[in-house]
Structure formats: C-alpha cells, structure tokens
Amino acid sequence: AGHGGSDAGASSGNVLEKDLNLMISRYMYEQFRNRGIPVTLIRDTDETISPSERTRRILAAYGNNPNVIVISNHINAASNQGAEGAEVIYALRNNDTLAKNILQSLENAGQKVRTYYQRRLPSNTSKDYYFIHRDTGSTEPVIVEYGFIDNPEDLSRIQNNYESYVDAVVDAVIKTKQGGVIAPSY
C-alpha cells in the first residue's frame, strides 16, 4: 500500500490516497490468499515507512528473486483537470508483459485506461525514477495507478469498483505468470 502515516499521498477533499491504497491492498492480499498465492502486505496499517525500510521489507519477504512480483498500489493526481484512467509503471529491468496485461485487465473490468510505461531518473537515465523499481533488486515491481483522485468521476469509479479492479489485477498477475493471455474486451 503506497504512502501511509505522515505521507498521505494525493488527496481530494477528505479522501486521502494512503487510505484508498490500504483498502485496495488489504483486499488484494485476501484475493491472492484465496487463490493460494503466497502474499505479504508491506504496510497493513496507517504507518509511515521510509523508502529504505519499504524496500528492506520487500526483499525480506521472499528474497531478491526475479519470480517475486511487487505491486505498489496508488491513486494518481494531475495538475491538468480532467485526467482519468489507470496507468501501470514498470521497471527498466523488466519487459512490458505484466504491465500491459494488468492495464488490459483493468480495462476489461470497466476502468478507463491511459498507458503503461517506464520512467527514468532525469539525473541518470540508466536508472529508474521510482525507488520501488530502482531499489528492489531483481524482483518484478509494478506501480498500479488505479485512476485520478482529483477527477470526481474517476474517484467515484475507484471507490465503487475497487474490488473488481483488484480482482482484475490479481487475475492478470496469475495469468501472466502462468503464460495465459488477457484478451481485450470489445
């Protein structure tokens, strides 16, 4: 669950990103457990966790292993009015398959989608911009931005459909790792 404690993340009125992230992550934890997939919540309360402690907990959970999927749940915010839809950001060391499948699955679940992409550190373009990508060893981390907290329609879709969106992400992870295909909906 991204953010937490003194780091509220983005907000809209009295809705805080950290709270939505925790709600989403707790539900995701249960869905992976229900499917028999080993899963660990790095943050399961409203606590402040430094980037170094967060990555330490990630690597301590299952080791520095390319078979470990790290899902960092977030809600986006934009400076331009009207931005909406999900995005998935993946690490430079990984291919785009998981990110693409998650985004397609979110679209199939009814969420508007934007794009999947990588982001480089401007001061050193050989490195990832986000610490969750840069500092998690050889794992496969993705940041899932479920939509925009500062877009009322997007926020409403997230609040009303987060369980469907989480189920879509969980299904995409399982199908990707089992070699399945996420078919686009038409």
Side-chain angles (χ1 to χ4, degrees):
H3 304 287
S6 63
D7 176 10
S11 64
S12 178
N14 62 352
V15 179
L16 303 177
E17 178 187 2
K18 69 176 184 173
D19 297 333
L20 291 174
N21 295 343
L22 186 56
M23 177 180 70
I24 287 167
S25 297
R26 284 178 172 160
Y27 182 75
M28 181 176 282
Y29 174 83
E30 290 303 322
Q31 296 316 299
F32 276 120
R33 282 180 51 98
N34 291 344
R35 291 172 171 100
I37 307 294
V39 62
T40 299
L41 273 174
I42 300 306
R43 176 174 80 83
D44 62 358
T45 63
D46 185 22
E47 68 174 312
T48 304
I49 307 174
S50 70
S52 59
E53 175 61 15
R54 195 175 290 268
T55 55
R56 187 200 66 73
R57 290 181 189 185
I58 289 167
L59 294 172
Y62 299 101
N64 184 4
N65 184 323
N67 293 321
V68 173
I69 306 294
V70 178
I71 302 169
S72 186
N73 291 311
H74 289 269
I75 311 298
N76 223 334
S79 56
N80 60 327
Q81 291 291 3
E84 66 181 339
E87 297 178 343
V88 181
I89 310 148
Y90 64 102
L92 297 175
R93 67 180 169 274
N94 300 122
N95 67 39
D96 66 0
T97 303
L98 179 59
K100 180 173 40 179
N101 286 348
I102 289 172
L103 201 65
Q104 183 64 64
S105 193
L106 283 166
E107 184 175 38
N108 291 352
Q111 175 56 317
K112 295 184 180 194
V113 297
R114 292 168 59 91
T115 189
Y116 57 92
Y117 63 96
Q118 297 170 310
R119 187 168 180 196
R120 296 175 183 273
L121 193 62
S123 61
N124 182 347
T125 57
S126 68
K127 293 185 178 182
D128 282 291
Y129 180 85
Y130 297 103
F131 78 88
I132 205 80
H133 295 141
R134 193 173 56 243
D135 300 336
T136 50
S138 63
T139 65
E140 186 168 2
V142 291
I143 297 171
V144 180
E145 299 273 9
Y146 289 85
F148 285 80
I149 200 168
D150 50 0
N151 177 315
E153 291 82 22
D154 224 11
L155 178 57
S156 178
R157 273 193 303 275
I158 294 164
Q159 290 172 316
N160 293 324
N161 301 296
Y162 79 92
E163 291 177 345
S164 298
Y165 297 164
V166 168
D167 290 341
V169 172
V170 169
D171 289 345
V173 168
I174 292 169
K175 288 178 183 174
T176 300
K177 290 306 161 184
Q178 292 177 339
V181 175
I182 308 294
S185 62
Y186 296 100

